[in-house]
Amino acid sequence: MGQARPDVVRVESVTSTQDIARPLPIGSVVVAEHQTAGRGRLDRRWESPPGTALLVSFVLAPNPILSLAAGVAAAEACGGGVRLKWPNDLLLHGAKVGGILVEAMAAKAICGIGINLTWAPEGAATLNQDRDQLLDNLRVELERWSSAKPDAVLVRWRELSDTLGRRVRVEMAGKIVEGVAQDIGPNGELIVDGVSVIFGSVIHL
Ligand code: BT5
């Protein structure tokens, strides 16, 4: 018999769901109506007016490819043509509809997922789905993909990828690599014309 799923912690306005989730045990899920300091990677902001998005953080066991596993889970939960841009964007018709932020600690990882539902900044997309239904789907998919074998995650990530096969420009701290995104490696790194990129921002050219 499986264990009962812990309840979702629902909060109104918080700085970031990541902050609320951090001290909670593995298995916890935090959902907010609004974030006053929603975060992207590298100190970037994640914007969304109150009640317009799914803003959720999951406390999970550490996993070296969690960012990719969460991307696969989120794309599967969204369905309907949502694709993945390396390393962590959810795209709908080529526009960003959601993002993933994994903050790893020694004993657990906080996986934050934001998906635009009824509002998006200029140039970005909305998904227009019921938030609770999407959350339910996401919980099921994340449970599945965060415990899947790394190879299975990589295979599905490649299938859902909008990045592989394209010419890309990757900006890393002080360095730019331009070329064809050929594959992802066993640790989730992007391979651009034979060069492994561990992290950075990708522009699809
Ligand atoms: C991400 O970062 O895409 C990760 C976003 C994770 C957000 C969730 S919400 C729940 C949890 N709590 C948090 O505080 N964070 C997580 P990154 O790849 O760095 O992208 C950030 C960039 O996306 C920004 O610099 C903007 O250009 C753009 N952006 C900001 N808000 C957006 C939105 N609502 N939709 C699309 N793009 C957005």
Side-chain angles (χ1 to χ4, degrees), residues 15-18 35 37-42 44-48 54-57 88-89 96-101 112-114 116 119-121 124-125:
T15 50
S16 158
T17 52
Q18 298 288 96
Q35 299 184 122
R39 291 199 292 278
R41 295 174 304 141
L42 311 169
R44 292 191 284 237
R45 292 293 303 262
W46 186 256
E47 307 284 351
S48 56
L54 176 61
L55 305 168
V56 57
S57 293
N88 68 338
D89 288 358
K96 185 157 172 168
V97 72
I100 291 162
L101 171 68
I113 303 181
N116 302 327
W119 176 91

Side-chain angles (χ1 to χ4, degrees), residues 46 54 56 67-79 81-101 112-116 123-127 134 138 157 160 162-163 204:
W46 186 256
L54 176 61
V56 57
S67 180
L68 296 187
V72 168
E76 298 281 27
C78 292
V82 168
R83 296 181 63 79
L84 296 168
K85 178 180 166 192
W86 189 89
N88 68 338
D89 288 358
L90 301 168
L91 301 184
L92 184 62
H93 308 307
K96 185 157 172 168
V97 72
I100 291 162
L101 171 68
I113 303 181
I115 300 174
N116 302 327
T126 57
L127 193 64
L134 181 58
L138 191 53
W157 195 94
L160 290 165
D162 198 41
T163 296
H204 287 168

Side-chain angles (χ1 to χ4, degrees), residues 59-73:
V59 186
L60 299 168
N63 170 344
I65 58 161
L66 184 55
S67 180
L68 296 187
V72 168

Side-chain angles (χ1 to χ4, degrees), residues 146-191:
S146 63
S147 57
K149 290 207 166 70
D151 276 357
V153 173
L154 296 180
V155 166
R156 190 65 184 129
W157 195 94
R158 289 184 183 106
E159 288 168 358
L160 290 165
S161 165
D162 198 41
T163 296
L164 298 183
R166 281 181 184 267
R167 277 196 74 75
V168 295
R169 178 183 304 134
V170 190
E171 294 172 5
M172 299 173 280
K175 199 175 148 204
I176 294 181
V177 178
E178 220 176 275
V180 175
Q182 295 166 313
D183 200 2
I184 42 171
N187 301 308
E189 65 276 26
L190 185 67
I191 299 162

